[in-house]
Amino acid sequence: MKLRTSRGLVAIALGTALVLSGCASGDGGSASPSATESAAANDTGVPTEADIAALDSVVVTGTDGDATLAFDKGLTVSTTTSKVVTEGDGDEVAEGDLVTMQYIVYQGSSAELLGSTWTDDAAESFTVGDASYELLNDALIGQKVGAQVLVAFPSQEDDQTTDTRVNLIQIVSTKDVPDRAEGEAVTPAEGLPVVTLDDTGKPSIDIPEGYADPTELVVQTLIKGSGPEVTADQTVTTQYTGWTLDGESFDSSWENGAPATFPLSGVIEGWTTGLAGQTVGSQVLLVVPAALAYGAEASETNPLAGKTLVFVVDILDAS
């Protein structure tokens, strides 16, 4: 269960694929040279010769925000396939780095443009190694800032059919960020959930017996970082774990293998309000009433709706 709400970025579908929300319908047409073989199931995760030929058929014209892709309708790949179009000359991307990228994305079946982060002025950032972005990790590790990389992959559509997404990604910047909060310890108020950290900084929680469901947002700084104050319009990189009041964890960047990055304008209200004004480097305990999380009323489609949630958040970066 992810923190984003309908206000969140439309460009990245966490845990699934790099997909812009626009939807273009194809009208058939000629298949790419590799369509028949690529459409076959591929459980190895290794691109076939047909996958490589399919990506080689994509013609890139222009640079940066003016770039366009051209290829025959019906392009498919059987697994994630990448190709470096332009080598970069900046810093090299390494696992654990915070990478910012721009990209355009096309639909394989129709060869139509679905969207562009350049057009939307919405560059995306993620921490290399985050399992939610597994489609991009291998493609970008070892590349340098400025590189342009074609990445194609199978993607499940809303109607449960499978299509291919073809993306041209440009690495804008890379930044080394810490993997846990660093600063001065703060003694929390009595009666709150108790946070314990292991040697890596990963938190666990102990909910006091009889802990009352709060009616207002609880914000408790546990570690005070020395960085700048976070504002509600910034994008933050965090380590976090979320629990329900019975102590059951429902989401954790620690389990995903890397910090997570998202705009504070695109997460639950308890996060936006609770983290704005905190400083980079801080660790914050949030106890979020249901009305400031996923809604006060229970829902059959969202098991977290109607529930108070507890989070421990390490603020690693803000921009």
Side-chain angles (χ1 to χ4, degrees):
M1 191 65 61
K2 301 300 176 186
L3 291 166
R4 297 182 184 193
T5 68
S6 60
R7 294 181 296 149
L9 290 181
V10 296
I12 297 291
L14 285 179
T16 53
L18 181 67
V19 182
L20 284 160
S21 63
C23 182
S25 59
D27 59 356
S30 62
S32 68
S34 56
T36 303
E37 182 178 346
S38 292
N42 181 359
D43 295 330
T44 68
V46 178
T48 65
E49 290 185 3
D51 294 332
I52 295 170
L55 205 57
D56 283 343
S57 74
V58 178
V59 177
V60 180
T61 304
T63 59
D64 299 343
D66 296 324
T68 59
L69 306 183
F71 52 89
D72 289 339
K73 296 177 182 179
L75 185 149
T76 63
V77 293
S78 64
T79 192
T80 302
T81 306
S82 64
K83 172 186 176 181
V84 177
V85 176
T86 303
E87 299 282 353
D89 57 6
D91 293 335
E92 185 172 306
V93 175
E95 187 163 358
D97 284 352
L98 178 64
V99 168
T100 299
M101 61 186 175
Q102 297 272 21
Y103 61 85
I104 53 176
V105 57
Y106 283 70
Q107 187 168 9
S109 61
S110 66
E112 292 184 10
L113 176 68
L114 295 182
S116 165
T117 58
W118 279 288
T119 300
D120 296 337
D121 191 24
E124 291 280 348
S125 298
F126 77 102
T127 303
V128 180
D130 184 347
S132 301
Y133 291 79
E134 61 182 345
L135 296 174
L136 299 183
N137 287 325
D138 289 343
L140 299 189
I141 288 176
Q143 301 302 324
K144 295 182 178 180
V145 170
Q148 289 186 319
V149 185
L150 279 173
V151 181
F153 52 80
S155 174
Q156 189 174 65
E157 306 297 288
D158 290 340
D159 62 2
Q160 303 306 305
T161 61
T162 298
D163 204 336
T164 290
R165 292 287 185 263
V166 185
N167 308 266
L168 177 68
I169 298 168
Q170 179 163 325
I171 303 172
V172 176
S173 65
T174 184
K175 182 179 182 180
D176 184 27
V177 296
D179 56 9
R180 61 186 294 179
E182 298 175 345
E184 183 179 350
V186 176
T187 302
E190 293 185 3
L192 293 177
V194 177
V195 177
T196 302
L197 306 180
D198 68 12
D199 292 340
T200 68
K202 179 181 177 180
S204 57
I205 200 84
D206 181 22
I207 310 293
E209 186 175 352
Y211 181 72
D213 228 341
T215 57
E216 297 183 354
L217 176 67
V218 175
V219 182
Q220 172 64 63
T221 303
L222 301 176
I223 297 173
K224 178 68 173 178
S226 60
E229 282 194 5
V230 176
T231 60
D233 60 350
Q234 287 187 304
T235 294
V236 296
T237 298
T238 69
Q239 291 275 32
Y240 70 91
T241 301
W243 298 267
T244 51
L245 275 185
D246 60 4
E248 185 74 21
S249 175
F250 61 86
D251 192 18
S252 175
S253 66
W254 296 92
E255 298 299 330
N256 288 334
T261 300
F262 28 66
L264 276 184
S265 62
V267 292
I268 59 174
E269 186 175 350
W271 266 56
T272 306
T273 302
L275 297 186
Q278 299 290 328
T279 54
V280 173
S282 296
Q283 182 179 82
V284 184
L285 170 69
L286 301 175
V287 184
V288 184
L292 300 180
Y294 294 97
E297 300 297 325
S299 168
E300 293 183 359
T301 59
N302 187 344
L304 295 180
K307 294 184 178 181
T308 292
L309 305 178
V310 181
F311 296 93
V312 174
V313 185
D314 291 13
I315 306 172
L316 308 179
D317 188 68
S319 60

